[in-house]
Amino acid sequence: MPIQMLLSGRKLPLMKIRIQMIQNAGAAATYSRISQKQNDASVQKKDKGVTGLCNLGNTCYMNAVLQCLSGTTPLVEYFFSWQFEKFITGEKKELVTVFAKLMADMWFGKEQSVSPEDFLSVMSNVHPPFGKRSQQDAQELLIYTLNALHEDLANVSKMNHIHQRCSHGSSSRGSLASESLITRLLQGVLRHTTACLECGNASHKDDLFTVLSLPIASGNETSVQECLECFFQQAMLTRTDKIFCPVCKIKQDTSVKAQIWKLPKILILHLKRFEYKGRLKRKLKTSVDFPLNNLDLSPFLSSFNVKQQKYKLYAVVNHFGDLDFGHYTAFCKHPGTKEWNAFDDNRTFRISDTMVQTSSAYILFYTSQTFSFPKKTSSCTTC
């Protein structure tokens, strides 16, 4: 799947970004007060896990994603145990080893910021455009990273009983059909039901997903709930889109409806802000309201074998600016202190939960689990 370059690589001035963050969140504090708080915090002992990442040349998209993955406790805790070393060999070891080392540096290192250069180098082999030091799409980097980690960690002898294509989260390195830590944490199942409107004959198809890409209606504001309703809205296939019915023996008007057949432990929602129509492109700046707690997925669950779960927000990738003039940052909730932190490349500072909601939210990370401070159980000298 070719990756489209969404940005030219130019960045908004830092002060302009910070002011926009505050305005979008509706915060009463001025930029100078936020800046002063950041300066005060910098002289204090940093919290473990609150570590900046050096920008290696238009790599803010990568830094934002890495901060959100770092905040995914059950993921990083597995790498801190270094259990994967028992199961992988040869060239497969390179990516997971580099990722594990970077996560360990971010959580247990003493530096205020670290360089993700080794990770970028390896990911450039996975997808060469990442190595061009030009701005890329954070969502594409996330997909490639998850799939690459999955492939290197997968136990191919244990094939998932649902052998279907992966429609959300596929990449050139393959789908998530086999089992790994990535699938156990992030993989869900969508069931598509196709029904003939003439005779009622229905068929089912299951699709795996790791990221749900939600459409955004044009306008000033909407909500994640409305975006989900749009995504799961029943589609009617008529006229030239009719589907052949094996019972009627002819093409008939057909309905297609998707439901969640299996919920993932960690739910990632991608807001489709970048729109392309031929040569025309634009960014949807619609403000999308999203809950920090109790995301309600009950209207979209299949009535069979799906237990409702309550999801809490723990990380956000933000995109500020336009398609040709933008910058990525991240907000992450610390699993230990339960405080929210903002990550702007090598800069980090604490924010209130009222500032998490902005019109620049691009990728939302939710969990049905309660995160705690990740444990380091390895005696490895490199971590």
Side-chain angles (χ1 to χ4, degrees), residues 198-245:
E198 181 64 28
C199 71
N201 179 64
S203 60
H204 306 284
K205 181 180 181 182
D206 294 334
D207 284 342
L208 309 178
F209 71 88
T210 52
V211 178
L212 287 181
S213 292
L214 306 182
I216 301 176
S218 299
N220 293 327
E221 60 183 46
T222 185
S223 68
V224 160
Q225 205 69 21
E226 291 175 331
C227 293
L228 285 164
E229 290 172 0
C230 184
F231 180 91
F232 287 101
Q233 185 177 19
Q234 180 174 273
M236 307 300 293
L237 304 181
T238 61
R239 299 182 180 179
T240 59
D241 295 325
K242 292 181 179 182
I243 292 180
F244 180 82
C245 174

Side-chain angles (χ1 to χ4, degrees), residues 32-33 93 121 128 149 152 156 163 165 168-169 187 215 260 280 288 301 310 324 332 353 383:
S32 60
R33 289 172 60 189
K93 192 174 181 178
S121 176
L149 289 173
D152 289 357
V156 295
H163 189 67
R165 68 183 178 88
H168 300 276
Q187 185 172 277
I260 299 176
L280 299 177
V288 180
L301 301 182
K310 294 182 179 180
D324 297 322
C332 301
D353 55 3
C383 58

Side-chain angles (χ1 to χ4, degrees), residues 262-310:
K262 175 182 176 293
L263 284 166
K265 294 177 182 177
I266 293 172
L267 176 69
I268 304 177
L269 302 179
H270 163 233
L271 304 178
K272 297 173 68 174
R273 291 197 177 277
F274 305 122
E275 188 176 84
Y276 294 87
K277 292 183 179 179
R279 294 184 178 181
L280 299 177
K281 58 181 182 179
R282 64 168 179 159
K283 177 186 174 183
L284 298 177
K285 298 184 178 180
T286 303
S287 178
V288 180
D289 182 73
F290 51 89
L292 272 63
N293 295 292
N294 299 323
L295 175 67
D296 183 17
L297 295 178
S298 58
F300 319 112
L301 301 182
S302 169
S303 58
F304 299 98
N305 301 322
V306 182
K307 183 179 179 181
Q308 166 70 321
Q309 299 182 28
K310 294 182 179 180

Side-chain angles (χ1 to χ4, degrees), residues 59-228:
T59 57
C60 58
Y61 70 96
M62 180 184 70
N63 291 346
V65 169
L66 286 171
Q67 293 292 358
C68 294
L69 293 180
S70 174
T72 308
T73 299
L75 176 68
V76 297
E77 200 167 50
Y78 173 83
F79 285 98
F80 294 161
S81 71
W82 286 74
Q83 295 178 20
F84 60 85
E85 289 191 306
K86 303 175 184 177
F87 308 108
I88 59 174
T89 58
E91 63 180 16
K92 279 192 171 184
K93 192 174 181 178
E94 186 177 19
L95 174 63
V96 290
T97 300
V98 166
F99 182 79
K101 178 63 167 58
L102 178 60
M103 293 296 109
D105 288 344
M106 293 171 67
W107 270 99
F108 303 108
K110 297 181 180 180
E111 301 297 328
Q112 295 289 337
S113 62
V114 296
S115 173
E117 188 168 2
D118 291 342
F119 176 82
L120 177 61
S121 176
V122 176
M123 287 305 295
S124 298
N125 294 330
V126 174
H127 188 68
F130 293 146
K132 294 182 178 179
R133 307 295 174 102
S134 59
Q135 191 65 274
Q136 303 289 326
D137 179 13
Q139 184 254 353
E140 298 285 1
L141 185 278
L142 173 64
I143 294 296
Y144 272 94
T145 299
L146 293 178
N147 275 284
L149 289 173
H150 161 74
E151 285 201 353
D152 289 357
L153 295 172
N155 184 348
V156 295
S157 65
K158 294 183 179 179
M159 297 303 294
N160 195 298
H161 71 283
I162 302 172
H163 189 67
Q164 299 290 341
R165 68 183 178 88
C166 178
S167 61
H168 300 276
S170 60
S171 79
S172 59
R173 297 193 98 206
S175 67
L176 303 187
S178 53
E179 185 180 291
S180 73
L181 172 71
I182 304 300
T183 61
R184 291 193 294 272
L185 290 176
L186 296 130
Q187 185 172 277
V189 180
L190 292 180
R191 168 154 291 190
H192 296 271
T193 300
T194 303
C196 173
L197 297 182
E198 181 64 28
C199 71
N201 179 64
S203 60
H204 306 284
K205 181 180 181 182
D206 294 334
D207 284 342
L208 309 178
F209 71 88
T210 52
V211 178
L212 287 181
S213 292
L214 306 182
I216 301 176
S218 299
N220 293 327
E221 60 183 46
T222 185
S223 68
V224 160
Q225 205 69 21
E226 291 175 331
C227 293
L228 285 164

